[in-house]
Amino acid sequence: MVAFAILIFVFLGSVEGFSTKSQPCSYNKGEMCKPALANAIFSTISFLLGGLTSLLSGFLGMKIATYANARTTLEARKGVGKAFITAFRSGAVMGFLLAANGLLVLYIAINLFKIYYGDDWEGLFEAITGYGLGGSSIALFGRVGGGIYTKAADVGADLVGKVERGIPEDDPRNPAVIADNVGDNVGDIAGMGADLFGSYAESSCAALVVSSISSFGINHDMTAMFYPLIISSIGILVCLITTLFATDFFEIKAVKEIEPALKKQLIISTILMTAGIAFVSWIALPSSFTIFNFGSQKVVKNWQLFLCVGAGLWAGLIIGFVTEYYTSNTYSPVQDVADSCRTGAATNVIFGLALGYKSVIIPIFAIAVSIFVSFSFAAMYGIAVAALGMLSTIATGLAIDAYGPISDNAGGIAEMAGMSHRIRERTDALDAAGNTTAAIGKGFAIGSAALVSLALFGAFVSRAAISTVDVLTPKVFIGLLVGAMLPYWFSAMTMKSVGSAALKMVEEVRRQFNTIPGLMEGTAKPDYATCVKISTDASIKEMIPPGALVMLTPLIVGTLLGVETLAGVLAGSLVSGVQIAISASNTGGAWDNAKKYIEAGASEHAKTLGPKGSDPHKAAVIGDTIGDPLKDTSGPSLNILIKLMAVESLVFAPFFAAHGGLLFKIWN
């Protein structure tokens, strides 16, 4: 953070040679705005604020989850309903904390910056974009580092414990079991929280930047200007009401009611939010206003903006349900994958990959329709508020997402504490539902990332003063090709990191089983600390190269090749990154649930494939192990790649516009 903060200050300060003189505004040349040095200082401050808020969110989320998982295990003694309420409420605490934190810090920052900037709204909101950059850069390390940590432990524990030694999951005799449980909190709680916080901060910043150069900014209409933040505020209230439906209005009595209860959360929050947005759009916005649209002003009505937010909100729900269809073992796609395990691991892998590729189709159409609707009505501002619409129910989304790792760890604690088989069955039922909801959470994160990065791309193009991005010019086309390649390069790095960390873990677990006498009999204790150290060291060391790839690409491309090539890189990485992210997450989720489907043996079909230890089950475990880095490391990290590169380009746009394209200048 410190290194990058210095970079921001140096790059942005050098735009006008660190001058303290006022300069003509970027969009309104007749007016004088604050100096570039002020932009450098305030962008650096907002970057640090965003990073610290993101760190705090991850830290508090992990603290809550660690308290909650043991409580959930204890509540499972009384019944599945009590355990569900504990796990769900803990997830909700994290969801509200994160949504409220992000909103509060952003609102305070804007009001403090306003003391200096006064009427220069354009400069003020340009400086605020650093907040989104800070949030996302920490999310990148949280997601990549957390993903490597958790999957190294998970793969090591599964391959040696379950496949080679035939002991149950989370068995205390397995040396990697503690590292595996810690990893769930690092990757799925801290990483997911920081990721959605980054999306939220960036979509707010993109909307504010675009609206500051529209009639709201020109007329200094404060209420309309804060429309993006008001949407998020209403979202928090709506999610508060929605949470009561899961915990207070309906009581869960049986296992089969868990998943429907979580799905109802999504539907109820979306319906209530639609009404909330309609109310806010009617009260906060003037009936007609103008929005900046690549050099011209476009007239927009308040009901059109309501439709933009609604398009994003409902697209999110569609993506959530499609993800659930492809990753839940109650539907045929995952059951087909489980069935393919009868002929071994190879057919399981083929079926899983096919399912992942197929699951991309409907989400992409949903994103495409919401982009078309929102852009037609309100240009790039429409896309920014559509992204906010998708994220407006972030508190509910995070509640059902954090619920997954909490239930998973509750099961681990029950197993390690030697509690009765009945309690383990209850926590497993909670965990199976949580697995699907985690996939829904990832679907939301990827869908919102696509909209957010497109909105940021629009703000970047406006800020860098590019009138059109022409694909037929060589500068742009080479950018497109390189941009489309980046998600593959990034995925290769993260998956290889998981592979090499898992290799060390497998060797260590095998060594302990072979050299510690009495370990398999349960009379000796394994050395858990060494396995935790392997995961920690690997995640810290291995997250640097992929992190550097994402952080340095916009700086190098913008400085050497200029803004047109960088626009191509952003478009290319957005287009290919979204596809790979959705397919990787869903493939991994499907393999995981196919394994759980065989293990649970709930239907006649599942019984023919089981029990644990049978050949189909072993094939399913191999599929699950391959899917682990896909669904928990590469897939979810890609949405940060596409957002982070876009927001970074926007923050550095003044520098690239003034001094970028060195190679082409030398060439010419």
Side-chain angles (χ1 to χ4, degrees), residues 121 210-222 224-225 286 288-292 297-300:
W121 284 29
V210 180
S211 61
S212 68
I213 48 179
S214 302
S215 61
F216 305 148
I218 297 160
N219 305 333
H220 291 100
D221 183 347
M222 202 69 179
M225 189 69 210
S288 175
F289 46 91
T290 63
I291 288 293
F292 185 81
Q297 294 281 354
K298 179 182 172 75
V299 178
V300 180

Side-chain angles (χ1 to χ4, degrees), residues 435-459:
N435 231 357
T436 304
T437 56
I440 293 175
K442 289 184 189 113
F444 260 97
I446 296 163
S448 64
L451 291 175
V452 168
S453 48
L454 186 59
L456 290 165
F457 177 69

Side-chain angles (χ1 to χ4, degrees), residues 347-373:
T347 41
N348 179 25
V349 170
I350 293 166
F351 268 71
L353 287 172
L355 176 144
Y357 296 149
K358 197 174 167 190
S359 70
V360 174
I361 301 166
I362 299 173
I364 292 296
F365 277 118
I367 294 169
V369 169
S370 61
I371 288 171
F372 180 76
V373 168

Side-chain angles (χ1 to χ4, degrees), residues 184-205:
D184 286 338
N185 288 331
V186 181
D188 284 343
I189 299 277
M192 182 71 181
D195 179 4
L196 281 173
F197 166 75
S199 271
Y200 166 73
E202 284 157 348
S203 51
S204 303
C205 292

Side-chain angles (χ1 to χ4, degrees), residues 118 160 167 182 193 199 232 260 297 319 332 368 372 376 429 460 492 509 586 626:
V160 185
I167 58 176
V182 173
S199 271
S232 307
Q297 294 281 354
I319 291 170
S332 60
F372 180 76
S376 307
F460 162 72
V509 176
N586 290 350
I626 299 170

Side-chain angles (χ1 to χ4, degrees), residues 380-413:
M380 277 299 169
Y381 186 62
I383 291 172
V385 292
L388 270 173
M390 198 178 276
L391 290 164
S392 58
T393 53
I394 183 175
T396 296
L398 266 169
I400 62 176
D401 200 80
Y403 155 90
I406 290 170
S407 324
D408 189 358
N409 276 354
I413 291 168

